[in-house]
Amino acid sequence: MSNLHELSLKQLRTGLDNKEFSSKELTEHSLARIASHQDLNAFINITPEVALAAAEAADQKIKNKEVKSLTGIPLAIKDLILTKGIKTTCASKFLENFVAPYNATVIEKLLAEDAVIVGKTNLDEFAMGSSNENSAFGPVINPWDKTKVPGGSSGGSAAVIAAGLVRATLGTDTGGSIRQPCSFCSITGIKPTYGRISRYGVTAYASSLDQVGPMAGNIEDLAIMLNALCGKDPLDATSVTLKTPDFTKNLGQDLKGLRVGMPKEYFIDGIQAEVRTAVENAVKQLESLGATVVPVSLPNTEHAVPTYYIIAPAEASSNLGRFDGIRFGNRATGCETLEDLYCESRSQGFGIEVKRRIMMGTYVLSSGYYDAYYLKAQKVRRLIKNDFDRVFAKDCDVIASPVTPTTAFELNSRVSDPIQMYLNDIFTIPVNLAGLPALSVPCGFDQNNLPIGLHLIGKAWDEETLLKTAFAYEQSTEWSKKNCYK
């Protein structure tokens, strides 16, 4: 079949189980498309031998009727997540030859489902960026328009789905790094509640903000992926003991009685007019499906970006202290002292944005500045969370907003202006600070045929309502069916 890349996870499951094609054929099809789309620079490492061996094993499982939801289906993994025996570079020169000695828990869960891993996707170095231009291996290209960024930091994971190379991937989201590239590439992705999915084996950027999440072509596929990934992990102290529901169960339910909050702080001056219109039309569509639209206020939203860019760099400066040129990774040569070795190894191994954030984090944690910056930022973080708690307790079940103020921007247009780049995440950052679940679902295109995403934010541990809402919207529109496959 020549159109395998157009099928959803559910359709692929049916086709595999009915012997319409084999996992080996499906994997070969995926690898062939990856080879023909190398101009996107979406992969750092492709693993055909590993993938084909896994596909043959999956075909035997299917033959024996030992089938799970992802058995035999090719997936790709953001190259921030450890994969045993396969390079995990974090898109950094520091780790360009690092081979992980063990799997992250999320990888173990996918392998337990007999999924096929075809490669590791490109990202902003150590997940620090909003455009996927900070990778040591070059920028990822947006399949919709090759002059535009795909978003970041999970830009590679988004681009491979948008281009039809695989049907689902894993990304990570620290301040919007799943949702923003999903919006830019017209796919779906969810940042679950903090603690819902294990972070064990995921290279830490900002530990209190990082969350693994799936990215896919549609909402049902997201739910299928979530079913496989969630659950308590004894290896991760931040993962929560909570029964994992079947996230596909409530898909298709109507939206009668659902209250959708529209925060005035998320519809501000400076939003691209087409983005505002598309999101407002999407909310009207939810209303036509039975939801009630409620105006709400999240007054501390204006403080989210500065708060994030104190807390995240502070945690990053601590987490990246392990990369010293001694234990693993890049080691500078010709150094006469230990201090020189540290300095040269880190100077050579880290890119500009990583160095910037380490310096910012070290500054706000330094003696004399901790109380003025870091401690105050943590207090503001609580106020931001309190805003969400208040509106969810009284006013609404789901919050709707744009994912980003604009559609995908030009390559190299914001690299020299970090502040402008950081402001791109103004609508996604508050969610991470509050630890809430949120997703992006396609809701339109601008006049240049660039995708626009609808941002839905939910109550803690209530991914089911988010998915139900997004699924009802998706099924009532044509946006998610539009593609740029070639």
Side-chain angles (χ1 to χ4, degrees):
M1 294 176 67
S2 60
N3 69 330
L4 292 175
H5 56 282
E6 299 182 21
L7 303 182
S8 68
L9 292 184
K10 185 176 182 179
Q11 290 169 327
L12 290 175
R13 174 79 281 127
T14 300
L16 286 165
D17 294 347
N18 291 339
K19 309 295 193 300
E20 296 170 21
F21 47 85
S22 67
S23 176
K24 184 178 180 182
E25 290 170 332
L26 177 59
T27 302
E28 287 173 339
H29 181 81
S30 178
L31 291 169
R33 285 190 62 80
I34 291 169
S36 66
H37 288 74
Q38 292 186 33
D39 59 324
L40 298 177
N41 197 35
F43 280 92
I44 289 176
N45 191 15
I46 304 164
T47 56
E49 296 86 0
V50 172
L52 290 170
E56 290 178 359
D59 282 330
Q60 188 61 46
K61 292 280 183 76
I62 294 169
K63 182 179 179 181
N64 296 337
K65 298 189 180 334
E66 301 170 356
V67 177
K68 299 175 184 177
S69 62
L70 298 174
T71 300
I73 296 177
L75 305 174
I77 310 297
K78 184 176 182 179
D79 200 23
L80 192 75
I81 300 170
L82 298 188
T83 42
K84 184 177 180 179
I86 300 172
K87 285 183 182 180
T88 300
T89 71
C90 300
S92 176
K93 288 294 183 183
F94 210 110
L95 294 174
E96 62 180 326
N97 295 309
F98 175 70
V99 177
Y102 63 93
N103 282 322
T105 295
V106 289
I107 300 301
E108 291 290 349
K109 284 179 174 288
L110 293 180
L111 294 178
E113 291 280 320
D114 299 313
V116 175
I117 296 173
V118 297
K120 307 291 290 291
T121 57
N122 203 347
L123 64 145
D124 285 299
E125 184 180 6
F126 287 102
M128 298 183 191
S130 303
S131 66
N132 221 144
E133 294 173 285
N134 293 326
S135 171
F137 303 100
V140 176
I141 306 302
N142 191 323
W144 287 91
D145 183 336
K146 294 183 179 180
T147 68
K148 301 293 192 295
V149 302
S153 63
S154 305
S157 292
V160 298
I161 298 170
L165 312 188
V166 297
R167 298 313 303 141
T169 62
L170 289 190
T172 64
D173 192 311
T174 305
S177 290
I178 286 174
R179 293 159 286 154
Q180 187 246 28
C182 285
S183 178
F184 281 5
C185 293
S186 196
I187 66 167
T188 64
I190 186 168
K191 184 210 90 70
T193 309
Y194 183 82
R196 175 70 87 174
I197 295 177
S198 173
R199 295 184 300 109
Y200 179 75
V202 180
T203 308
Y205 162 19
S207 303
S208 73
L209 301 166
D210 298 342
Q211 186 61 76
V212 180
M215 304 163 75
N218 62 55
I219 295 298
E220 186 174 31
D221 286 357
L222 276 190
I224 291 169
M225 289 289 288
L226 269 183
N227 283 346
L229 296 168
C230 294
K232 171 66 178 175
D233 180 10
L235 299 174
D236 177 6
T238 64
S239 75
V240 174
T241 303
L242 196 67
K243 185 178 179 180
T244 300
D246 179 355
F247 291 107
T248 65
K249 186 177 179 181
N250 293 329
L251 301 183
Q253 290 186 356
D254 64 52
L255 301 186
K256 290 178 181 177
L258 183 79
R259 299 167 300 165
V260 178
M262 290 274 284
K264 62 182 182 180
E265 293 82 4
Y266 284 58
F267 293 85
I268 55 177
D269 292 340
I271 298 178
Q272 185 176 329
E274 293 153 301
V275 171
R276 180 192 291 270
T277 300
V279 172
E280 289 175 345
N281 287 341
V283 173
K284 290 177 183 175
Q285 181 67 12
L286 291 175
E287 196 170 21
S288 74
L289 294 171
T292 302
V293 178
V294 181
V296 298
S297 178
L298 301 167
N300 288 291
T301 298
E302 63 178 312
H303 306 304
V305 171
T307 298
Y308 176 88
Y309 281 102
I310 290 173
I311 293 173
E315 295 185 11
S317 70
S318 176
N319 282 325
L320 270 64
R322 73 194 70 180
F323 301 104
D324 55 12
I326 301 294
R327 285 165 281 195
F328 52 83
N330 176 69
R331 178 180 293 189
T333 58
C335 301
E336 296 184 0
T337 68
L338 185 61
E339 183 176 354
D340 286 345
L341 177 61
Y342 287 158
C343 291
E344 284 302 313
S345 295
R346 291 166 69 83
S347 295
Q348 293 173 18
F350 292 144
I352 292 173
E353 185 61 29
V354 173
K355 292 175 186 175
R356 179 184 290 123
R357 298 195 191 195
I358 290 173
M359 293 297 290
M360 288 166 59
T362 303
Y363 178 80
V364 301
L365 291 176
S366 62
S367 177
Y369 295 101
Y370 178 90
D371 288 350
Y373 292 103
Y374 185 74
L375 187 61
K376 186 172 288 186
Q378 291 288 16
K379 292 177 179 178
V380 176
R381 179 181 190 171
R382 168 55 65 175
L383 296 177
I384 291 168
K385 184 180 186 302
N386 288 346
D387 283 348
F388 283 111
D389 290 345
R390 173 178 47 78
V391 298
F392 280 132
K394 291 183 177 182
D395 303 318
C396 63
D397 306 299
V398 171
I399 291 171
S401 80
V403 179
T404 61
T406 69
T407 52
F409 46 89
E410 295 279 341
L411 287 158
N412 299 313
S413 64
R414 301 186 185 181
V415 172
S416 61
D417 189 349
I419 301 300
Q420 193 66 28
M421 186 76 80
Y422 297 165
L423 288 172
N424 192 66
D425 297 330
I426 190 170
F427 303 136
T428 54
I429 279 172
V431 172
N432 298 78
L433 292 170
L436 299 175
L439 60 78
S440 175
V441 60
C443 72
F445 290 82
D446 70 9
Q447 63 182 352
N448 296 315
N449 199 39
L450 293 173
I452 300 168
L454 170 65
H455 193 213
L456 295 176
I457 305 167
K459 301 174 185 177
W461 316 114
D462 193 17
E463 288 86 355
E464 290 174 281
T465 298
L466 271 185
L467 291 165
K468 178 186 79 171
T469 305
F471 182 81
Y473 172 76
E474 178 187 72
Q475 294 300 301
S476 69
T477 66
E478 296 294 315
W479 302 120
S480 64
K481 297 177 182 177
K482 190 172 179 179
N483 66 66
C484 60
Y485 302 150
K486 293 177 182 175

